[in-house]
Structures are given as structure tokens and as C-alpha cells.
Coordinates of all heavy atoms in Angstrom, one line a residue:
M26 N 0.8 -1.1 -0.1 CA -0.1 0.0 0.0 C 0.9 1.3 0.0 O 1.9 1.2 0.7 CB -0.9 0.0 1.2 CG -1.9 1.1 1.2 SD -3.2 0.9 2.5 CE -2.6 1.5 3.9
R27 N 0.5 2.2 -0.7 CA 1.2 3.5 -0.9 C 0.3 4.6 -0.4 O -0.9 4.7 -0.8 CB 1.8 3.8 -2.3 CG 2.9 2.8 -2.6 CD 3.3 3.0 -3.9 NE 4.2 4.3 -4.1 CZ 5.5 4.3 -3.8 NH1 6.1 3.3 -3.3 NH2 6.1 5.4 -4.0
L28 N 0.8 5.7 0.3 CA 0.0 6.8 0.7 C 0.5 8.0 0.0 O 1.8 8.2 -0.1 CB 0.1 7.1 2.1 CG -0.7 6.0 3.0 CD1 -0.5 6.3 4.6 CD2 -2.2 5.8 2.8
N29 N -0.3 8.8 -0.6 CA 0.1 10.0 -1.4 C 0.2 11.1 -0.3 O -0.8 11.9 -0.2 CB -0.8 10.3 -2.5 CG -0.2 11.5 -3.3 OD1 0.9 11.8 -3.3 ND2 -1.0 11.8 -4.2
C30 N 1.4 11.4 0.3 CA 1.5 12.4 1.4 C 1.4 13.7 0.6 O 2.0 13.9 -0.4 CB 2.9 12.4 2.2 SG 3.0 13.6 3.3
P31 N 0.5 14.6 1.2 CA 0.4 15.9 0.5 C 1.7 16.7 0.4 O 1.9 17.7 -0.4 CB -0.6 16.7 1.3 CG -1.4 15.7 2.1 CD -0.5 14.5 2.3
C32 N 2.6 16.5 1.4 CA 3.9 17.2 1.4 C 5.1 16.5 0.6 O 5.8 17.2 0.1 CB 4.3 17.3 2.9 SG 3.2 18.1 4.0
C33 N 5.1 15.2 0.7 CA 6.1 14.4 0.1 C 5.8 13.6 -1.1 O 6.8 13.1 -1.7 CB 6.6 13.4 1.1 SG 7.0 14.1 2.8
G34 N 4.6 13.5 -1.5 CA 4.3 12.7 -2.6 C 4.0 11.2 -2.2 O 4.0 10.8 -1.1
P35 N 3.9 10.3 -3.3 CA 3.6 8.9 -3.0 C 4.8 8.2 -2.2 O 5.9 8.4 -2.6 CB 3.3 8.3 -4.3 CG 3.1 9.4 -5.2 CD 3.9 10.6 -4.7
R36 N 4.5 7.5 -1.1 CA 5.4 6.8 -0.3 C 4.9 5.5 0.1 O 3.7 5.4 0.3 CB 5.8 7.7 1.0 CG 6.3 9.0 0.7 CD 7.6 9.0 -0.1 NE 8.0 10.2 -0.5 CZ 9.2 10.9 -0.4 NH1 10.2 10.2 0.3 NH2 9.4 12.0 -0.8
G37 N 5.8 4.6 0.4 CA 5.4 3.3 0.9 C 4.8 3.4 2.4 O 5.2 4.2 3.1
V38 N 3.9 2.5 2.6 CA 3.2 2.6 4.0 C 4.1 2.4 5.1 O 3.8 2.8 6.2 CB 1.9 1.7 3.9 CG1 2.4 0.1 4.0 CG2 1.1 2.0 5.1
E39 N 5.2 1.7 4.9 CA 6.1 1.5 6.0 C 6.7 2.8 6.6 O 7.3 2.8 7.6 CB 7.3 0.6 5.6 CG 8.2 1.1 4.5 CD 7.6 0.8 3.0 OE1 6.4 0.4 2.8 OE2 8.3 1.4 2.0
E40 N 6.6 3.9 5.8 CA 7.1 5.2 6.3 C 6.0 5.8 7.3 O 6.4 6.8 8.0 CB 7.2 6.2 5.2 CG 8.5 5.9 4.2 CD 8.8 7.0 3.3 OE1 8.3 8.1 3.4 OE2 9.6 6.8 2.5
F41 N 4.9 5.3 7.4 CA 3.8 5.9 8.1 C 3.3 5.0 9.3 O 3.6 3.8 9.3 CB 2.6 5.9 7.3 CG 2.8 7.0 6.1 CD1 3.3 6.4 4.9 CD2 2.4 8.3 6.1 CE1 3.6 7.2 3.8 CE2 2.7 9.1 4.9 CZ 3.1 8.6 3.8
T42 N 2.8 5.6 10.3 CA 2.3 4.9 11.5 C 0.8 5.2 11.5 O 0.4 6.3 11.4 CB 3.0 5.4 12.7 OG1 4.3 5.2 12.6 CG2 2.5 4.6 13.9
Y43 N 0.0 4.1 11.7 CA -1.5 4.2 11.9 C -1.7 4.7 13.3 O -1.2 4.1 14.2 CB -2.0 2.9 11.6 CG -3.6 2.9 12.0 CD1 -4.5 3.5 11.1 CD2 -4.1 2.4 13.1 CE1 -5.8 3.5 11.4 CE2 -5.4 2.4 13.3 CZ -6.2 2.9 12.5 OH -7.7 2.9 12.7
R44 N -2.5 5.7 13.3 CA -2.7 6.3 14.8 C -4.2 6.4 15.1 O -4.6 7.0 16.1 CB -2.1 7.7 14.8 CG -0.6 7.8 14.5 CD 0.1 6.9 15.5 NE 0.0 7.5 16.8 CZ 0.4 6.9 17.9 NH1 1.1 5.7 17.9 NH2 0.3 7.4 19.1
G45 N -5.0 5.7 14.4 CA -6.4 5.5 14.8 C -7.4 6.1 14.1 O -7.2 6.6 13.0
D46 N -8.7 6.1 14.6 CA -9.9 6.6 14.0 C -9.9 8.1 14.0 O -9.7 8.8 15.0 CB -11.1 6.1 14.8 CG -12.4 6.4 14.3 OD1 -12.5 7.2 13.4 OD2 -13.3 5.6 14.7
A47 N -10.0 8.7 12.8 CA -9.9 10.2 12.7 C -11.4 10.7 12.9 O -11.6 12.0 12.9 CB -9.6 10.5 11.3
T48 N -12.4 10.0 13.2 CA -13.8 10.5 13.3 C -14.1 10.7 14.8 O -15.1 11.3 15.1 CB -14.8 9.5 12.7 OG1 -14.8 8.3 13.4 CG2 -14.5 9.4 11.2
V49 N -13.3 10.2 15.7 CA -13.6 10.3 17.1 C -13.3 11.7 17.6 O -12.3 12.3 17.2 CB -12.6 9.4 18.0 CG1 -12.9 9.5 19.5 CG2 -13.0 7.9 17.5
R50 N -14.2 12.4 18.3 CA -14.0 13.8 18.8 C -14.1 13.7 20.4 O -14.7 13.1 21.1 CB -15.2 14.6 18.4 CG -15.3 14.8 16.9 CD -14.1 15.7 16.5 NE -14.0 15.8 15.0 CZ -13.2 15.1 14.2 NH1 -12.3 14.2 14.7 NH2 -13.2 15.3 12.9
R51 N -13.0 14.4 20.9 CA -12.8 14.7 22.4 C -14.0 15.2 23.0 O -14.5 16.3 22.5 CB -11.6 15.4 22.6 CG -11.2 15.4 24.1 CD -9.9 16.4 24.1 NE -9.5 16.5 25.5 CZ -8.5 15.6 26.0 NH1 -7.9 14.8 25.3 NH2 -8.1 15.9 27.3
P52 N -14.5 14.7 24.0 CA -15.7 15.3 24.8 C -15.3 16.6 25.5 O -14.1 16.8 25.8 CB -16.0 14.3 25.8 CG -15.3 13.1 25.6 CD -14.2 13.4 24.7
A53 N -16.3 17.4 25.9 CA -15.9 18.6 26.7 C -15.4 18.3 28.1 O -15.7 17.1 28.6 CB -17.2 19.4 26.9
P54 N -14.6 19.0 28.7 CA -13.9 18.7 30.0 C -14.9 18.3 31.0 O -14.7 17.5 31.9 CB -13.3 20.1 30.3 CG -12.9 20.6 29.0 CD -14.1 20.3 28.2
D55 N -16.1 18.9 30.9 CA -17.2 18.6 32.0 C -18.1 17.6 31.5 O -19.2 17.3 32.2 CB -17.9 19.9 32.5 CG -18.6 20.5 31.3 OD1 -18.3 20.2 30.1 OD2 -19.4 21.6 31.5
A56 N -17.9 16.8 30.5 CA -18.8 15.7 29.9 C -19.0 14.6 30.9 O -18.1 14.4 31.9 CB -18.2 15.2 28.6
A57 N -19.9 13.8 30.8 CA -20.2 12.8 31.8 C -19.1 11.8 31.6 O -18.5 11.5 30.6 CB -21.6 12.1 31.4
A58 N -18.9 11.0 32.8 CA -17.8 10.0 32.7 C -18.1 8.9 31.6 O -17.1 8.5 30.9 CB -17.8 9.2 34.1
S59 N -19.4 8.6 31.4 CA -19.6 7.6 30.3 C -19.1 8.2 28.9 O -18.7 7.4 28.1 CB -21.1 7.3 30.3 OG -21.9 8.5 29.9
D60 N -19.2 9.4 28.7 CA -18.8 10.0 27.4 C -17.2 9.8 27.3 O -16.7 9.5 26.2 CB -19.1 11.4 27.3 CG -20.5 11.7 27.1 OD1 -21.3 10.8 26.7 OD2 -21.0 12.8 27.4
W61 N -16.6 10.0 28.4 CA -15.0 9.7 28.4 C -14.7 8.4 28.3 O -13.6 8.1 27.6 CB -14.3 10.4 29.7 CG -14.4 11.9 29.7 CD1 -15.2 12.8 30.2 CD2 -13.4 12.6 29.0 NE1 -14.8 14.1 30.0 CE2 -13.7 13.9 29.2 CE3 -12.3 12.2 28.2 CZ2 -12.9 15.0 28.5 CZ3 -11.4 13.3 27.6 CH2 -11.8 14.5 27.8
V62 N -15.4 7.3 28.8 CA -15.1 5.9 28.7 C -15.3 5.7 27.3 O -14.6 5.0 26.6 CB -16.1 5.1 29.6 CG1 -16.0 3.7 29.1 CG2 -15.8 5.3 31.0
D63 N -16.4 6.2 26.6 CA -16.7 5.9 25.1 C -15.5 6.4 24.3 O -15.0 5.8 23.4 CB -17.9 6.5 24.7 CG -19.2 5.8 25.3 OD1 -19.0 4.7 25.9 OD2 -20.4 6.3 25.0
Y64 N -15.1 7.7 24.6 CA -13.9 8.3 23.9 C -12.8 7.6 24.0 O -11.9 7.3 22.9 CB -13.8 9.7 24.4 CG -12.7 10.4 23.9 CD1 -12.5 10.9 22.6 CD2 -11.5 10.7 24.7 CE1 -11.3 11.5 22.2 CE2 -10.4 11.3 24.3 CZ -10.4 11.7 23.0 OH -9.2 12.3 22.5
V65 N -12.4 7.0 25.2 CA -11.0 6.4 25.4 C -11.1 5.0 24.9 O -10.1 4.5 24.2 CB -10.7 6.5 26.9 CG1 -9.4 5.6 27.1 CG2 -10.5 7.8 27.3
Y66 N -12.3 4.2 25.1 CA -12.1 2.8 24.9 C -12.9 2.2 23.7 O -12.6 1.1 23.2 CB -12.6 2.1 26.1 CG -11.7 2.3 27.3 CD1 -12.1 3.1 28.4 CD2 -10.4 1.7 27.4 CE1 -11.2 3.3 29.5 CE2 -9.6 1.9 28.4 CZ -10.0 2.8 29.4 OH -9.1 2.9 30.5
L67 N -14.0 3.0 23.3 CA -14.9 2.3 22.2 C -14.5 2.9 20.9 O -14.3 4.0 20.6 CB -16.3 2.7 22.6 CG -16.8 2.1 23.9 CD1 -18.4 2.5 24.0 CD2 -16.7 0.7 24.0
R68 N -14.4 1.8 20.0 CA -14.1 2.1 18.6 C -14.9 1.2 17.7 O -15.2 0.0 18.0 CB -12.6 1.9 18.2 CG -11.6 2.9 18.9 CD -11.8 4.3 18.4 NE -10.9 5.2 19.1 CZ -11.2 5.9 20.2 NH1 -12.4 5.7 20.8 NH2 -10.3 6.7 20.7
D69 N -15.4 1.8 16.6 CA -16.0 1.0 15.6 C -15.0 0.2 14.8 O -13.8 0.6 14.6 CB -16.9 1.9 14.6 CG -18.0 2.6 15.2 OD1 -18.6 2.0 16.3 OD2 -18.4 3.6 14.9
N70 N -15.4 -0.9 14.1 CA -14.5 -1.5 13.4 C -15.3 -1.7 12.0 O -15.7 -2.9 11.6 CB -14.3 -3.0 13.9 CG -13.3 -3.7 13.2 OD1 -12.5 -3.3 12.5 ND2 -13.3 -5.1 13.4
P71 N -15.3 -0.7 11.2 CA -16.1 -0.6 9.9 C -15.5 -1.5 8.8 O -14.3 -1.6 8.7 CB -16.1 0.8 9.5 CG -14.8 1.3 10.1 CD -14.5 0.7 11.4
A72 N -16.4 -2.1 8.0 CA -16.0 -2.8 6.9 C -16.4 -1.8 5.7 O -17.6 -1.9 5.4 CB -16.6 -4.1 6.7
G73 N -15.5 -1.1 5.2 CA -15.8 -0.1 4.1 C -15.0 1.1 4.3 O -14.0 1.1 5.0
W74 N -15.5 2.2 3.9 CA -14.8 3.5 3.8 C -14.7 3.9 5.2 O -15.7 3.9 6.0 CB -15.5 4.5 3.0 CG -15.4 4.1 1.6 CD1 -16.3 3.6 0.8 CD2 -14.2 4.3 0.8 NE1 -15.8 3.4 -0.5 CE2 -14.6 3.8 -0.5 CE3 -12.9 4.7 1.0 CZ2 -13.5 3.8 -1.5 CZ3 -12.0 4.8 0.0 CH2 -12.2 4.2 -1.4
H75 N -13.5 4.5 5.6 CA -13.2 4.9 6.9 C -12.2 6.0 6.9 O -11.3 6.0 6.1 CB -12.7 3.8 7.8 CG -12.7 4.0 9.2 ND1 -11.5 3.9 10.0 CD2 -13.5 4.4 10.1 CE1 -11.7 4.2 11.2 NE2 -13.0 4.5 11.3
R76 N -12.3 7.0 7.9 CA -11.3 8.1 7.9 C -10.4 7.7 9.1 O -10.9 7.5 10.2 CB -12.0 9.4 8.2 CG -12.8 9.8 7.0 CD -13.5 11.1 7.2 NE -12.6 12.2 7.0 CZ -12.8 13.5 7.4 NH1 -13.9 13.8 7.9 NH2 -11.9 14.5 7.0
E77 N -9.1 7.7 8.8 CA -8.1 7.3 9.7 C -7.1 8.3 9.9 O -6.7 9.0 8.9 CB -7.5 5.9 9.2 CG -8.4 4.9 8.9 CD -7.8 3.7 8.2 OE1 -6.9 3.9 7.4 OE2 -8.2 2.6 8.4
L78 N -6.4 8.3 11.1 CA -5.2 9.2 11.3 C -3.9 8.4 11.0 O -3.7 7.3 11.5 CB -5.2 9.7 12.8 CG -6.0 10.8 13.1 CD1 -5.9 11.2 14.6 CD2 -5.5 12.1 12.3
W79 N -3.1 9.0 10.2 CA -1.8 8.4 10.0 C -0.7 9.5 10.2 O -0.9 10.7 10.0 CB -1.6 7.9 8.5 CG -2.5 6.7 8.2 CD1 -3.8 6.5 8.1 CD2 -2.0 5.3 8.0 NE1 -4.2 5.3 7.8 CE2 -3.0 4.5 7.8 CE3 -0.6 4.8 8.1 CZ2 -2.9 3.1 7.5 CZ3 -0.5 3.5 7.9 CH2 -1.6 2.6 7.6
Y80 N 0.4 9.0 10.7 CA 1.5 10.0 11.0 C 2.7 9.6 10.1 O 3.2 8.4 9.9 CB 1.9 9.8 12.5 CG 3.0 10.7 12.9 CD1 3.1 12.0 12.9 CD2 4.3 10.0 13.3 CE1 4.1 12.8 13.3 CE2 5.3 10.9 13.7 CZ 5.2 12.1 13.7 OH 6.3 13.0 14.1
H81 N 3.2 10.6 9.4 CA 4.4 10.3 8.4 C 5.7 10.3 9.2 O 6.5 11.4 9.2 CB 4.4 11.3 7.3 CG 5.2 10.8 6.1 ND1 5.3 11.5 5.0 CD2 5.9 9.7 6.0 CE1 6.1 10.9 4.2 NE2 6.5 9.8 4.8
A82 N 5.9 9.2 10.0 CA 7.0 9.2 11.0 C 8.4 9.2 10.2 O 9.4 9.7 10.7 CB 6.9 8.0 11.8
A83 N 8.5 8.7 9.0 CA 9.8 8.5 8.4 C 9.9 9.6 7.2 O 10.7 9.5 6.3 CB 10.1 7.2 7.9
G84 N 9.1 10.7 7.3 CA 9.0 11.7 6.4 C 9.0 13.0 6.9 O 9.7 13.4 7.8
C85 N 7.8 13.8 6.6 CA 7.8 15.1 7.0 C 7.2 15.3 8.3 O 6.9 16.4 8.8 CB 6.9 15.8 5.9 SG 5.2 15.2 5.9
H86 N 6.7 14.2 9.1 CA 6.2 14.3 10.4 C 4.9 14.9 10.4 O 4.2 15.3 11.4 CB 7.1 14.9 11.5 CG 8.4 14.2 11.6 ND1 8.8 13.7 12.8 CD2 9.3 13.8 10.8 CE1 10.0 13.0 12.7 NE2 10.3 13.1 11.4
A87 N 4.1 14.9 9.2 CA 2.7 15.4 9.2 C 1.8 14.4 9.7 O 1.9 13.2 9.6 CB 2.4 15.8 7.7
W88 N 0.7 14.8 10.3 CA -0.5 14.1 10.7 C -1.4 14.2 9.5 O -1.6 15.2 9.1 CB -1.2 14.6 12.0 CG -0.4 14.3 13.2 CD1 0.7 15.0 13.7 CD2 -0.5 13.1 14.0 NE1 1.2 14.4 14.8 CE2 0.5 13.2 15.1 CE3 -1.4 12.1 14.0 CZ2 0.6 12.4 16.1 CZ3 -1.3 11.1 15.1 CH2 -0.4 11.3 16.1
L89 N -1.8 13.0 9.1 CA -2.8 12.9 7.8 C -4.1 12.3 8.2 O -4.2 11.4 9.0 CB -2.0 12.1 6.8 CG -0.6 12.5 6.4 CD1 0.0 11.6 5.4 CD2 -0.7 13.9 5.8
V90 N -5.0 12.7 7.4 CA -6.4 12.0 7.5 C -6.5 11.3 6.2 O -6.6 11.9 5.2 CB -7.6 12.9 7.7 CG1 -8.9 12.3 7.7 CG2 -7.3 13.7 9.0
V91 N -6.6 10.0 6.3 CA -6.6 9.0 5.1 C -8.1 8.4 5.0 O -8.5 7.9 6.1 CB -5.6 7.9 5.2 CG1 -5.7 7.1 4.0 CG2 -4.1 8.5 5.2
T92 N -8.7 8.7 3.8 CA -10.0 8.1 3.7 C -9.7 6.7 2.9 O -9.2 6.7 1.8 CB -10.9 8.9 2.9 OG1 -11.0 10.2 3.5 CG2 -12.3 8.4 2.6
R93 N -9.9 5.5 3.6 CA -9.5 4.3 3.1 C -10.6 3.3 3.2 O -11.4 3.3 4.2 CB -8.3 3.7 3.8 CG -7.7 2.4 3.4 CD -6.5 2.2 4.2 NE -6.7 1.8 5.7 CZ -7.0 0.5 6.0 NH1 -6.9 -0.5 5.2 NH2 -7.2 0.4 7.4
D94 N -10.8 2.4 2.2 CA -11.7 1.3 2.2 C -11.0 0.1 3.0 O -10.0 -0.4 2.5 CB -12.3 0.9 0.8 CG -13.3 -0.1 0.9 OD1 -13.2 -1.0 1.7 OD2 -14.2 -0.1 0.0
T95 N -11.4 -0.3 4.1 CA -10.9 -1.2 5.0 C -10.9 -2.6 4.3 O -10.2 -3.5 4.7 CB -11.4 -1.3 6.4 OG1 -12.9 -1.6 6.3 CG2 -11.2 0.0 7.1
R96 N -11.8 -2.9 3.3 CA -11.9 -4.2 2.7 C -10.9 -4.3 1.6 O -10.3 -5.4 1.5 CB -13.3 -4.4 2.3 CG -14.3 -4.5 3.2 CD -15.8 -4.4 2.7 NE -15.9 -3.1 2.0 CZ -17.0 -2.7 1.5 NH1 -18.1 -3.3 1.5 NH2 -17.1 -1.4 0.9
T97 N -10.7 -3.3 0.8 CA -9.8 -3.3 -0.3 C -8.6 -2.5 -0.2 O -7.6 -2.8 -1.1 CB -10.6 -2.8 -1.5 OG1 -10.8 -1.4 -1.4 CG2 -11.9 -3.5 -1.8
H98 N -8.4 -1.8 0.8 CA -7.3 -0.8 1.0 C -7.2 0.2 -0.1 O -6.1 1.0 -0.2 CB -6.0 -1.5 1.1 CG -5.9 -2.6 2.2 ND1 -6.0 -2.3 3.6 CD2 -5.8 -3.9 2.2 CE1 -5.9 -3.3 4.3 NE2 -5.8 -4.3 3.6
E99 N -8.2 0.4 -0.8 CA -8.3 1.6 -1.8 C -8.3 2.8 -1.1 O -9.0 3.0 0.0 CB -9.5 1.4 -2.7 CG -9.7 2.6 -3.7 CD -11.0 2.6 -4.4 OE1 -11.7 1.5 -4.3 OE2 -11.3 3.5 -5.2
I100 N -7.6 3.8 -1.4 CA -7.5 5.2 -0.8 C -8.2 6.1 -1.7 O -7.8 6.3 -2.7 CB -6.0 5.5 -0.6 CG1 -5.4 4.5 0.5 CG2 -6.0 7.0 0.0 CD1 -4.0 4.5 0.7
A101 N -9.1 6.8 -1.1 CA -9.8 7.9 -1.8 C -9.3 9.2 -1.7 O -9.3 10.0 -2.5 CB -11.3 7.8 -1.5
D102 N -8.7 9.5 -0.4 CA -8.1 10.8 -0.2 C -7.2 10.9 0.9 O -7.3 9.9 1.9 CB -9.4 11.8 0.3 CG -9.0 13.2 0.5 OD1 -8.4 13.8 -0.6 OD2 -9.3 13.8 1.5
V103 N -6.2 11.7 0.8 CA -5.2 11.9 1.9 C -5.1 13.4 2.1 O -4.9 14.1 1.1 CB -3.8 11.4 1.5 CG1 -2.8 11.6 2.7 CG2 -3.9 9.9 1.3
A104 N -5.3 14.0 3.4 CA -5.3 15.3 3.5 C -4.5 15.6 4.8 O -4.4 14.7 5.7 CB -6.6 15.9 3.6
R105 N -3.9 16.7 4.9 CA -3.2 17.1 6.2 C -4.3 17.3 7.3 O -5.3 18.0 7.1 CB -2.4 18.3 6.1 CG -1.2 18.2 5.1 CD -0.3 19.4 5.0 NE -1.1 20.6 5.2 CZ -0.5 21.7 5.8 NH1 0.8 21.7 6.1 NH2 -1.2 22.9 5.9
A106 N -4.0 16.7 8.5 CA -5.0 16.8 9.6 C -5.3 18.2 9.9 O -6.4 18.6 10.4 CB -4.6 15.9 10.7
V107 N -4.3 19.1 9.9 CA -4.4 20.6 10.4 C -5.4 21.2 9.3 O -6.1 22.0 9.8 CB -3.1 21.2 10.3 CG1 -2.4 21.3 9.0 CG2 -3.1 22.6 10.9
D108 N -5.4 20.8 8.0 CA -6.3 21.4 7.1 C -7.8 20.9 7.6 O -8.7 21.8 7.3 CB -5.8 21.0 5.7 CG -4.6 21.7 5.3 OD1 -4.2 22.7 5.9 OD2 -4.0 21.1 4.4
I109 N -7.9 19.7 7.9 CA -9.2 19.2 8.1 C -9.8 19.8 9.3 O -10.8 20.2 9.4 CB -9.2 17.6 8.4 CG1 -8.7 17.0 7.0 CG2 -10.5 17.1 8.9 CD1 -9.6 16.9 6.0
A110 N -8.9 20.0 10.4 CA -9.3 20.6 11.6 C -9.7 22.2 11.4 O -10.7 22.6 11.9 CB -8.3 20.6 12.7
R111 N -9.0 22.8 10.5 CA -9.2 24.1 10.2 C -10.6 24.2 9.5 O -11.5 25.1 9.7 CB -8.2 24.8 9.4 CG -8.4 26.2 9.1 CD -7.2 26.7 8.2 NE -5.9 26.7 9.0 CZ -4.8 26.1 8.5 NH1 -4.8 25.5 7.3 NH2 -3.7 26.1 9.2
Q112 N -10.8 23.3 8.6 CA -12.2 23.3 7.9 C -13.3 23.1 8.8 O -14.3 23.6 8.7 CB -12.1 22.1 6.8 CG -13.0 22.1 5.7 CD -12.7 21.2 4.7 OE1 -12.3 20.0 5.0 NE2 -12.8 21.4 3.4
D113 N -13.2 22.1 9.7 CA -14.2 21.7 10.7 C -14.4 23.0 11.6 O -15.7 23.3 11.9 CB -13.7 20.6 11.5 CG -13.9 19.2 10.8 OD1 -14.2 19.1 9.7 OD2 -13.3 18.3 11.5
R114 N -13.5 23.8 12.0 CA -13.7 25.0 12.9 C -14.5 25.9 12.0 O -15.4 26.6 12.5 CB -12.3 25.5 13.3 CG -11.9 24.9 14.5 CD -10.8 25.7 15.2 NE -9.7 26.0 14.4 CZ -8.6 25.3 14.1 NH1 -8.4 24.1 14.7 NH2 -7.7 25.7 13.3
E115 N -14.1 26.2 10.8 CA -14.8 27.2 10.0 C -16.2 26.7 9.7 O -17.1 27.6 9.8 CB -14.1 27.3 8.5 CG -12.7 28.1 8.8 CD -12.0 27.9 7.4 OE1 -12.5 27.4 6.4 OE2 -10.8 28.5 7.4
N116 N -16.5 25.4 9.5 CA -17.9 25.0 9.3 C -18.7 25.0 10.6 O -19.8 25.3 10.6 CB -17.9 23.5 8.8 CG -17.3 23.3 7.3 OD1 -17.4 24.4 6.7 ND2 -16.8 22.1 7.0
A117 N -18.1 24.9 11.7 CA -18.7 24.9 13.0 C -19.2 26.4 13.4 O -20.2 26.7 14.0 CB -17.9 24.4 14.2
G118 N -18.4 27.4 12.8 CA -18.5 28.9 13.1 C -19.6 29.4 12.2 O -20.1 30.5 12.4
S119 N -19.9 28.8 11.1 CA -20.9 29.3 10.2 C -22.2 28.8 10.4 O -22.5 28.0 11.2 CB -20.4 29.1 8.7 OG -20.4 27.6 8.5
Ligands
LIG216 ZN1 5.1 13.5 4.3

């Protein structure tokens, strides 16, 4: 599998580290304990398209959001996580 890093271009997956589900959102500091338990311990195991966090450890050290089909490993999109976070903040503010 190869990932097309937005900073470095196409690279072998061995340069990257999988860092988890990119769709999980941290609860508010005063959220219920059950919300924190869900945040820390519960993850879906989807068969199909999924947004994942990857870290380019042997490259530019960028955090990436990869949209990948977990059944075929087809990759639809790779974007810098900082750009996704900025986009989410702008959408939340409008
Ligand atoms: Zn990179």
C-alpha cells in the first residue's frame, strides 16, 4: 500500500504509522464519565470506507487524515489533519 502524502508525494506505507480513528471527537472537559469512557475505549470496526489518522514518521512528520476502504485498502483521499481541523472549525462557526 502506498500513501500520497500531500507534502512528500507517494510513499510506501512502511514510512507511516497508523494512529487510529479520525472521526472520534474529544468530549468537553465537563462531559459525563460515560462519554469519556466511550472516547477512550470504544471504537467502531467498519467494513468499508473509513477516515483514519496516519503519521508520516519517516518523512515530513505530518499528521494525515486518510480515507480508506478497509476491505480493499483503496485510498480515496489523503489530507493534512491540520487542514481538516481548520475546515471543521470554519464549518462549526458558520
Ligand atoms: Zn510527508
Side-chain angles (χ1 to χ4, degrees):
M26 187 166 88
R27 291 178 72 79
L28 294 178
N29 189 12
C30 177
C32 306
C33 308
R36 303 294 172 131
V38 72
E39 63 276 2
E40 289 190 9
F41 299 84
T42 304
Y43 174 76
R44 300 304 296 172
D46 186 342
T48 64
V49 176
R50 294 293 176 257
R51 186 183 180 93
D55 59 349
S59 62
D60 292 339
W61 281 100
V62 169
D63 290 353
Y64 170 71
V65 172
Y66 295 108
L67 296 183
R68 294 293 179 268
D69 292 331
N70 188 20
W74 291 103
H75 191 238
R76 294 178 82 191
E77 303 168 331
L78 273 176
W79 288 76
Y80 178 65
H81 198 178
C85 63
H86 296 240
W88 286 84
L89 305 172
V90 175
V91 176
T92 305
R93 180 177 70 93
D94 189 322
T95 58
R96 294 168 297 185
T97 64
H98 301 298
E99 180 184 354
I100 295 169
D102 187 53
V103 180
R105 295 186 325 151
V107 67
D108 295 336
I109 300 289
R111 185 177 298 125
Q112 195 174 43
D113 287 350
R114 276 196 304 271
E115 289 172 5
N116 291 341
S119 60

